[in-house]
Amino acid sequence: MKRGPQRSVDQKAVLDAALELIDAGGLTMRALATRVGLTPGALYTYFPDRAAIVTALTDRLLGEADLGLLEDEGRPPGERIAAFALNLREVLMRHPAAVPSILGAAFSGPVALRVGESLLAALPDPRAAYTVMVYVLGSIALEAAEIRGPGPVPPEAERIAARRVAFDIEPEAFPRTYAAADAIAAYISTGQFRWGLERVLAGLAAGK
């Protein structure tokens, strides 16, 4: 039997390098091959294209969140979902530059499928489960969009303060917006994320 091409780099090392490139602002197959010491052709023995790499990275990052929080049947469904969503937000906000790619990925890896299955166990109506995921991932995406440049993510309090300083509008022209400036600056906060998620879940529960 003819053997396939030998792999000289561990697949985990390839994904490590891919995540580093995304965090630094750009992932291409050529740059990734250079980073791990492979030719571009050899890299295709690991992943057929960039989309496959992003799908694998999506699964990997989902796997860094504590799925046990979502699967804890000793807690009410809403508490399980909220706990997992907050943990997932924490994981993804370590890699804000990767969030746009993740949102465009196929959620078809084993971890992604397990997350979907566990979410449906907590929210059996697939429309409700989809609504929650849209809120969670959409909120994370908006937050990540403000800070996805290279370098460490600033602490939340610093980001809120910077947003507030930059919030410069005419109070006479936009009085309601001006009065709500503090709340608007905190849109990127854990408190706002939790506030919205709790109300989404409460609305879904009330609509059964």
Side-chain angles (χ1 to χ4, degrees):
M1 177 183 293
K2 183 179 179 180
R3 294 184 178 181
Q6 294 296 308
R7 295 184 174 186
S8 59
V9 180
D10 182 79
Q11 190 176 65
K12 179 180 180 299
V14 176
L15 290 179
D16 287 344
L19 187 56
E20 289 171 2
L21 286 169
I22 289 181
D23 286 342
L27 169 63
T28 66
M29 297 296 278
R30 184 171 296 278
L32 180 56
T34 300
R35 178 68 67 97
V36 296
L38 296 172
T39 65
L43 182 58
Y44 288 107
T45 67
Y46 293 83
F47 298 99
D49 51 33
R50 186 182 186 281
I53 294 172
V54 172
T55 296
L57 278 177
T58 298
D59 225 45
R60 170 172 162 166
L61 290 174
L62 286 173
E64 291 183 14
D66 185 358
L67 190 52
L69 296 170
L70 184 57
E71 296 176 338
D72 182 4
E73 296 184 359
R75 303 172 71 180
E79 287 186 15
R80 287 150 52 188
I81 293 168
F84 176 73
L86 285 161
N87 186 237
L88 178 61
R89 173 177 174 266
E90 181 181 336
V91 168
L92 294 183
M93 289 309 298
R94 296 179 198 141
H95 305 282
V99 172
S101 295
I102 288 170
L103 293 182
F107 279 63
S108 56
V111 179
L113 291 174
R114 183 180 166 194
V115 169
E117 187 74 10
S118 299
L119 183 58
L120 286 170
L123 283 176
D125 186 337
R127 296 168 300 178
Y130 177 74
T131 298
V132 169
M133 289 306 295
V134 167
Y135 173 81
V136 170
L137 294 177
S139 297
I140 294 171
L142 288 173
E143 185 173 358
E146 291 196 336
I147 54 173
R148 63 179 184 226
V153 177
E156 184 176 287
E158 288 184 15
R159 291 188 281 121
I160 293 172
R163 266 184 134 236
R164 184 63 183 88
V165 169
F167 199 80
D168 184 20
I169 62 169
E170 293 293 333
E172 295 80 9
F174 307 100
R176 294 179 183 84
T177 305
Y178 183 83
D182 289 341
I184 292 171
Y187 279 171
I188 59 174
S189 67
T190 304
Q192 172 65 45
F193 182 83
R194 186 191 296 272
W195 186 95
L197 180 59
E198 288 174 351
R199 280 153 182 80
V200 168
L201 291 169
L204 291 171
K208 287 183 179 178

